[in-house]
Amino acid sequence: MSKQAEKGPAAENPEELLDLKITHPKDWAAGIPAVTVAMVDILKEAGLARGMEGLFHMNKKSGFDCSGCAWPDPDDDRSAIAEYCENGAKALAEEATTKKLTGDFFAENSVADLAKLNDYEIGKKGRIAQPVYLAKGATHYAPVSWDFAFKKIADELNALASPDEAAFYTSGRTSNEASFTYQLFVREFGTNNMPDCSNMCHESTGVGLADTIGIGKGTVTLNDFYDTDVIIIMGQNPGTNHPRMLSALEKAKQKGSKIIAVNPLHEAGLMGFKNPQTVKGILGIKTQLADLYLQVKINGDMALLKAMEKLLYEAERENSGSVFDHEFIKKNTTGYVAFLDSLNQYKIDDLAKAAGLTVNEIEQAVDLIKNKSRIIICWAMGITQHKNGVDTVKEIVNLAMLKGAIGKPGAGLCPVRGHSNVQGNRTMMIWDKPKPKQLDKLKEVFGFEPPRGHGYDVVASIKAMDEGKLKVFFAMGGNFLSATPDTLFTAQAMRKLKLSVHVSTKLNRSHLVHGEEALILPTLSRSDKDVVNGEEQFISCENSMGVVQMSKGMLKPVSEHLMNENQIICNLAKATLGHRAVVDWDKYSQSYDAVRDAIAKVIPGCEDYNQKVRLPGGFYLPNAAREGKFITEKNGAVVPFNIAPLPKHELAADEYHMATIRSHDQFNTTIYGLDDRYRGIHNERRVILMNENDMKNAGFRAEEKVDLFNYDDGVERVARLFVVVPYNIPEGNTATYYPEANVLVPINSVAEQSNTPTSKLVNIKIRKHVG
């Protein structure tokens, strides 16, 4: 048994905790408290005039796209009051803040001192106002010119033995235009090492859906939610992660839809909604959302799906033709008989036990969908971040196919993406495994031979850093260290780099765990006014349902030294490639329209991009599966039923399953505050939610201090000084917040086929803290 050296971020092992306060969890989300909290953040960070100006334009057809989640804006009836949620307002407060970090700040604060702060404290320092550089052996970042920054990066890239010694990460905040020029530069430079945030979240979705329905995206529109019979929400917490979804669910309920919630925790946003834009909501009257709440064990979803399919099969045999959509199955699928035969190996009692439910609960779910075909199935990280994540996505497809619930109005598959343009990134070819047809198109349009071999994804990049195979790491947004698994291992790997570069709006922990040299390049945010050659510009983004629309910032940037993402990329390309460049980088640097014209030539569905993106509300990308047409590489025009085994979970007597989750006061790695008010946890993030029976059996008291351990691969990983919070969670299951508990997620524990870290299922031991 080896012990992982504790040479990671300084704040990973704090010496003391804050003053934790526990209240009763809520059974509803939003309401007037959401408005109040959002306004407090806006006023504190941006001030009244600047803050309200930003809020008024957020998610409007002539305004800017929220930098938070990817939930779509309504096609037509957008709210005249507020087309944003509490966490959207908090996201705006973060980027619209008037606090800025100049050279004086970096001169006064060493990297070591900043690293002692927690992620919340680091993020609240303010916007980065100018490029800064950390020289080899230096203790402080220092201001530099943009020319110096581009030359430093270019020199390091050109000194590499191979382009494959560099990796280029992308965050979901990056626009379509910047994503396109970014991948174009990286491929002209000569590598497909393009890890991105999708690798850590919905990669399992992309793989599972592409293998089955032929497209790695969902098949529904927002309007489908308003004309459906049943909505199944699995492994997703909309009240915190996609709050605007609550309005769609409320509207669906008003039109008679039933909702089935599937989650190990009773989440407020799945139980009730007090809409602050209605009189009813203002008066505190909630709309009940979930008609049936199935509290599965962590990763009990596959067993639940198989149990539902088995019960539906039994009902179909009793009354042939009344339950399954045989016309759809015959026309669009293959492997139907073998799939049904595979269900015969299971007993319903065993499946219910594996799911953590009673047979009666599963029967209730089946009764709700048995005679319906207009069914929408939604899911998020609770499905994808497991070893069997891809197979579970395919099992969701199985269920939908049995009911013919794909490719018709009011029915379909709805993976809910986490970040606002993560889906657009992939559409724009941000991918370590590009398809030959995509690369052929780049060659045809631009005249250079792009690299053909697969590159590194996130996990592979971390391992390559550790092995010395990567020398330069460039991040277009994001907080790579805090988002990734196995924090100490990742930190040690990043310290082996020669140069680490981050394009950022605000300070984060990834700036403080760096290579021999480091650069931070400050960029405009979504809400910032972007002026090129005296003309205000706009960018475009793709939401979770395949709508591409324009986004135009309107707030005055906090510094004159900021540069937009597209110009950063183009200037870096010019500095790096020089006379070798085939692409006209000057043209793309000066004109977003020129970039969009290039996109129109390369990306299918983006023909006439400049014209269509200027339409109010944007345009839908083509989606054959949405229209009931399935075009797959492996199976032609039919969708294969997938046969997968149940996951096996073996725990020692003193072990528990742990899932990492978000608090209500955060978006991804950005921590807005220290309260998780829906779950009743205040002023502390280093908590572990436990079942009270588990606490009693292990001898733990409420609010007792403990340390958490993982022992995968014979390595001891430790997360010290957590507080036990009794919570309604299945026995044997626990939950912690990320990024605080990411140190326990093993680098080698990944989803089969997608290589996504298994952040929702980590085996841990819990011991009393010895201070």
Side-chain angles (χ1 to χ4, degrees):
M1 177 67 65
S2 64
K3 185 173 182 178
Q4 196 172 71
E6 293 181 0
K7 189 187 175 185
E12 282 302 315
N13 294 292
E15 296 179 357
E16 59 183 24
L17 295 166
L18 301 174
D19 186 17
L20 171 66
K21 179 182 178 182
I22 300 174
T23 58
H24 196 274
K26 302 286 187 184
D27 62 358
W28 54 269
I32 295 302
V35 178
T36 303
V37 171
M39 289 303 104
V40 167
D41 265 30
I42 282 287
L43 294 175
K44 182 178 179 181
E45 295 291 337
L48 179 61
R50 181 177 171 87
M52 296 310 294
E53 183 182 8
L55 289 176
F56 180 77
H57 287 86
M58 182 183 285
N59 294 326
K60 298 295 179 66
K61 290 182 179 179
S62 60
F64 61 91
D65 198 41
C66 176
S67 60
C69 79
W71 188 254
D73 305 313
D75 289 337
D76 42 32
D77 60 341
R78 300 194 188 186
S79 170
I81 304 173
E83 194 55 63
Y84 55 85
C85 65
E86 173 190 345
N87 278 359
K90 290 177 180 176
L92 175 62
E94 289 285 313
E95 64 183 49
T97 183
T98 56
K99 294 182 291 188
K100 58 183 180 181
L101 309 184
T102 62
D104 289 342
F105 171 86
F106 289 102
E108 294 167 3
N109 294 273
S110 70
V111 171
D113 285 340
L114 290 170
K116 295 175 183 177
L117 304 176
N118 60 41
D119 289 77
Y120 169 65
E121 293 167 328
I122 293 171
K124 286 299 182 183
K125 293 298 181 183
R127 291 284 297 271
I128 302 168
Q130 59 199 110
V132 290
Y133 167 62
L134 185 70
K136 183 177 181 179
T139 57
H140 293 66
Y141 278 99
V144 292
S145 69
W146 280 103
D147 286 343
F148 173 91
F150 291 134
K151 185 177 187 306
K152 168 57 69 174
I153 302 167
D155 288 347
E156 291 294 339
L157 290 175
N158 288 325
L160 298 174
S162 162
D164 289 329
E165 290 186 335
F168 300 84
Y169 176 74
T170 317
S171 158
R173 74 173 297 278
T174 308
S175 70
N176 279 351
E177 290 78 8
S179 294
F180 184 82
T181 54
Y182 192 39
Q183 65 81 28
L184 187 63
F185 159 59
V186 172
R187 292 191 166 104
E188 189 176 15
F189 175 64
T191 185
N192 283 316
N193 289 345
M194 300 198 73
D196 74 309
C197 57
S198 183
N199 297 155
M200 294 182 282
C201 55
H202 266 291
E203 198 68 49
S204 295
T205 291
V207 173
L209 292 185
D211 281 354
T212 51
I213 65 171
I215 183 171
K217 303 180 182 182
T219 67
V220 300
T221 70
L222 187 56
N223 287 335
D224 286 319
F225 278 78
Y226 309 147
D227 188 27
T228 188
D229 294 314
V230 182
I231 302 170
I232 304 175
I233 305 172
M234 306 185 71
Q236 182 200 355
N237 176 16
T240 287
N241 300 335
H242 314 92
R244 286 195 299 152
M245 183 179 178
L246 299 180
S247 298
L249 296 178
E250 180 184 49
K251 190 170 181 178
K253 291 287 291 185
Q254 291 169 347
K255 290 180 173 290
S257 177
K258 300 294 184 181
I259 296 177
I260 301 172
V262 182
N263 204 295
L265 299 176
H266 275 276
E267 301 289 19
L270 291 169
M271 293 186 284
F273 176 44
K274 295 182 182 179
N275 189 338
Q277 296 196 39
T278 65
V279 173
K280 179 180 171 183
I282 292 172
L283 294 175
I285 301 171
K286 73 177 181 182
T287 297
Q288 179 184 333
L289 295 180
D291 296 276
L292 177 64
Y293 207 114
L294 301 179
Q295 190 176 16
V296 294
K297 293 178 181 178
I298 292 175
N299 202 24
D301 309 274
M302 175 73 87
L304 168 62
L305 290 164
K306 287 185 179 293
M308 292 175 68
E309 292 159 348
K310 186 174 179 67
L311 290 174
L312 288 169
Y313 182 29
E314 291 176 359
E316 171 66 20
R317 284 188 295 190
E318 291 176 4
N319 194 358
S320 181
S322 67
V323 178
F324 289 168
D325 187 334
H326 290 282
E327 181 179 351
F328 178 92
I329 293 168
K330 182 178 180 180
K331 178 183 177 182
N332 298 298
T333 74
T334 183
Y336 170 66
V337 174
F339 170 71
L340 294 183
D341 287 344
S342 74
L343 296 177
N344 292 327
Q345 67 182 291
Y346 300 108
K347 295 179 179 179
I348 192 65
D349 288 343
D350 293 338
L351 290 171
K353 182 178 179 181
L357 301 168
T358 66
V359 173
N360 178 258
E361 287 175 312
I362 301 173
E363 288 173 340
Q364 291 180 59
V366 168
D367 285 343
L368 286 173
I369 69 170
K370 183 165 54 179
N371 299 314
K372 308 292 184 183
S373 65
R374 296 192 309 169
I375 303 166
I376 295 174
I377 308 177
C378 309
W379 70 92
M381 306 301 94
I383 295 295
T384 62
Q385 291 179 328
H386 294 282
K387 288 187 177 180
N388 59 303
V390 173
D391 277 334
T392 305
V393 169
K394 291 181 178 181
E395 201 70 41
I396 289 172
V397 177
N398 287 344
L399 177 60
M401 290 195 301
L402 291 175
K403 299 298 298 175
I406 312 178
K408 65 174 65 171
L413 306 169
C414 183
V416 184
R417 307 285 176 172
H419 212 157
S420 58
N421 199 42
V422 63
Q423 188 159 298
N425 295 165
R426 188 57 56 88
T427 300
M428 294 296 125
M429 294 177 58
I430 296 292
W431 197 15
D432 57 285
K433 300 175 182 64
K435 295 181 179 181
K437 287 183 178 180
Q438 294 175 309
L439 299 176
D440 290 343
K441 198 65 179 178
L442 283 183
K443 181 178 180 180
E444 174 189 329
V445 172
F446 294 101
F448 69 88
E449 179 61 59
R452 298 282 168 165
H454 288 177
Y456 294 139
D457 63 11
V458 164
V459 169
S461 293
I462 296 169
K463 291 181 177 180
M465 291 179 200
D466 180 64
E467 295 166 5
K469 296 178 180 178
L470 282 182
K471 309 295 185 183
V472 176
F473 179 76
F474 189 103
M476 181 59 63
N479 181 358
F480 187 81
L481 176 67
S482 290
T484 49
D486 221 334
T487 314
L488 295 185
F489 178 86
T490 301
Q492 292 164 22
M494 293 190 74
R495 288 192 171 103
K496 296 179 181 180
L497 294 164
K498 286 201 68 179
L499 176 67
S500 53
V501 185
H502 291 84
V503 177
S504 303
T505 57
K506 301 187 72 179
L507 195 67
N508 66 52
R509 188 164 300 283
S510 294
H511 305 142
L512 310 176
V513 178
H514 48 77
E516 289 182 2
E517 299 177 272
L519 280 159
I520 307 174
L521 309 181
T523 191
L524 298 175
S525 69
R526 289 272 177 86
S527 57
D528 286 334
K529 188 179 295 184
D530 187 353
V531 179
V532 178
N533 293 330
E535 294 185 12
E536 292 186 20
Q537 305 293 315
F538 71 87
I539 59 171
S540 57
C541 302
E542 178 185 347
N543 66 35
S544 198
M545 294 179 186
V547 177
V548 177
Q549 62 182 358
M550 65 185 294
S551 173
K552 187 174 184 179
M554 29 62 61
L555 296 181
K556 181 181 179 181
V558 297
S559 169
E560 62 183 10
H561 300 296
L562 307 184
M563 190 178 290
N564 71 47
E565 291 176 317
N566 181 62
Q567 288 188 314
I568 291 173
I569 295 161
C570 293
N571 281 310
L572 177 59
K574 287 169 55 183
T576 303
L577 300 172
H579 68 275
R580 309 194 312 270
V582 173
V583 176
D584 186 347
W585 292 107
D586 279 323
K587 177 174 70 172
Y588 296 132
S589 174
Q590 297 303 309
S591 173
Y592 280 119
D593 277 354
V595 176
R596 286 187 281 267
D597 284 340
I599 290 172
K601 295 177 183 178
V602 174
I603 307 298
C606 289
E607 298 79 9
D608 299 319
Y609 195 65
N610 264 311
Q611 291 71 41
K612 291 190 292 188
V613 79
R614 284 175 162 85
L615 297 172
F619 67 98
Y620 280 91
L621 289 170
N623 189 316
R626 179 180 291 158
E627 301 169 6
K629 302 172 186 176
F630 307 104
I631 306 168
T632 66
E633 290 186 1
K634 298 178 182 178
N635 299 282
V638 293
V639 182
F641 277 92
N642 189 61
I643 299 174
L646 281 180
K648 295 181 180 180
H649 300 307
E650 297 179 359
L651 288 173
D654 61 344
E655 282 188 323
Y656 305 86
H657 284 144
M658 180 194 78
T660 61
I661 59 176
R662 288 183 191 169
S663 80
H664 186 62
D665 246 356
Q666 74 179 100
F667 180 76
N668 290 344
T669 59
T670 302
I671 312 301
Y672 300 141
L674 300 175
D675 292 340
D676 192 355
R677 72 173 188 275
Y678 289 162
R679 297 190 183 107
I681 299 168
H682 307 270
N683 203 41
E684 183 55 75
R685 292 182 50 83
R686 299 187 73 85
V687 298
I688 178 165
L689 311 186
M690 290 189 70
N691 180 283
E692 290 194 68
N693 288 335
D694 287 338
M695 291 172 55
K696 181 179 179 181
N697 293 336
F700 295 130
R701 305 184 313 274
E703 301 188 43
E704 184 164 9
K705 297 175 182 178
V706 296
D707 297 329
L708 314 179
F709 299 81
N710 168 270
Y711 291 100
D712 279 33
D713 306 319
V715 175
E716 182 183 78
R717 299 172 181 84
V718 189
R720 300 199 185 280
L721 202 53
F722 277 64
V723 182
V724 175
V725 174
Y727 208 80
N728 182 3
I729 187 171
E731 289 187 38
N733 291 180
T734 65
T736 55
Y737 298 133
Y738 75 87
E740 287 81 0
N742 281 10
V743 65
L744 299 170
V745 182
I747 189 68
N748 291 318
S749 183
V750 295
E752 297 169 357
Q753 303 175 65
S754 70
N755 215 34
T756 297
T758 60
S759 301
K760 289 292 187 288
L761 187 69
V762 181
N763 289 358
I764 64 167
K765 295 177 183 285
I766 308 172
R767 297 173 188 155
K768 295 183 179 183
H769 177 72
V770 179

